[in-house]
Amino acid sequence: FFDKSWTNAIGVQYGQSLLDSKYQEILLRICKKMKVRYIRVPLLLSDTLIVKNKNDYDFSKIDTILDFITSNYMIPIIELSGRKINASSQETLIKIEEVNLYHYSNEEFMCLLKSFITHIMYRYAGLNNNLKQWIWEYQYERNTCTLETYVSQFNQCLNEIRKWSDIYQIGGYGIDL
């Protein structure tokens, strides 16, 4: 069993927020005060953070985000899906809405994912095995795919990550039964 990371974790709304130095400063103060060790980073694979060249991807903005996390001795929880939850209230009602912010076909996403994981493994493997503490997450997007499609996509993500090591922590979003 893995350690329960959610007891000392904090999430950011968008991975892109971590490119802002003021946001980083505030987050660091919160993390130090609350003794947070894990930073959950959603929407890393958005087109605002990745530049696609002809047959290659530029992950430099994501590197900046992950460098910030690792240089401050924290561990990223990398959320791979494009799922975002919006909550809004109207008088006494709270409306929860799930939105997929990625617009990739499954084939495009898997190509991007393979490239991203390969990039991460080569770039961060030398961090004193810190990479093995990173957590990978692929959430179930109920409004964009069936459970069967999700399980297939999750297994593809799992297999891609496990090509590098079978000890990486990989999780998914809870499934309604």
Side-chain angles (χ1 to χ4, degrees):
F1 289 92
F2 298 114
D3 290 336
K4 295 177 186 165
S5 59
W6 60 85
T7 59
N8 57 356
I10 193 168
V12 297
Q13 187 70 11
Y14 295 99
Q16 183 176 336
S17 304
L18 289 172
L19 294 174
D20 182 316
S21 60
K22 198 70 167 161
Y23 190 95
Q24 290 177 353
E25 181 184 318
I26 293 166
L27 184 65
L28 277 178
R29 281 190 281 166
I30 292 169
C31 291
K32 287 178 182 172
K33 182 92 171 158
M34 297 177 63
K35 296 180 174 51
V36 168
R37 186 169 177 220
Y38 294 91
I39 304 290
R40 184 175 180 279
V41 189
L43 305 171
L44 266 186
L45 300 180
S46 68
D47 54 7
T48 58
L49 293 176
I50 298 171
V51 176
K52 183 175 183 193
N53 301 320
K54 289 182 182 179
N55 295 324
D56 200 12
Y57 298 95
D58 178 353
F59 297 114
S60 57
K61 290 181 182 177
I62 296 173
D63 291 340
T64 300
I65 292 166
L66 296 175
D67 289 350
F68 162 74
I69 293 170
T70 57
S71 68
N72 284 288
Y73 307 101
M74 294 181 285
I75 300 167
I77 300 172
I78 299 176
E79 208 287 288
L80 296 169
S81 75
R83 181 176 177 266
K84 174 154 178 9
I85 297 177
N86 293 328
S88 59
S89 63
Q90 297 171 342
E91 296 180 25
T92 59
L93 297 174
I94 296 177
K95 179 182 175 188
I96 306 289
E97 175 184 41
E98 290 186 29
V99 181
N100 181 357
L101 297 179
Y102 293 166
H103 305 289
Y104 307 114
S105 70
N106 188 53
E107 188 176 283
E108 290 170 324
F109 181 74
M110 290 314 300
C111 181
L112 170 61
L113 181 68
K114 287 176 186 180
S115 183
F116 176 66
I117 291 169
T118 300
H119 172 79
I120 293 299
M121 297 304 166
Y122 281 118
R123 181 174 171 90
Y124 294 97
L127 291 175
N128 302 324
N129 279 337
N130 188 26
L131 185 57
K132 292 181 178 168
Q133 296 176 4
W134 290 24
I135 298 173
W136 303 80
E137 181 182 327
Y138 188 71
Q139 294 191 14
Y140 176 38
E141 299 177 38
R142 291 172 180 82
N143 63 336
T144 61
C145 68
T146 65
L147 179 58
E148 292 77 21
T149 301
Y150 167 73
V151 170
S152 172
Q153 290 171 343
F154 179 87
N155 283 330
Q156 289 177 62
C157 290
L158 176 71
N159 291 336
E160 208 48 51
I161 293 168
R162 290 279 162 87
K163 283 180 185 176
W164 296 91
S165 176
D166 62 355
I167 68 164
Y168 290 123
Q169 299 180 58
I170 306 162
Y173 186 69
I175 299 169
D176 294 336
L177 299 176

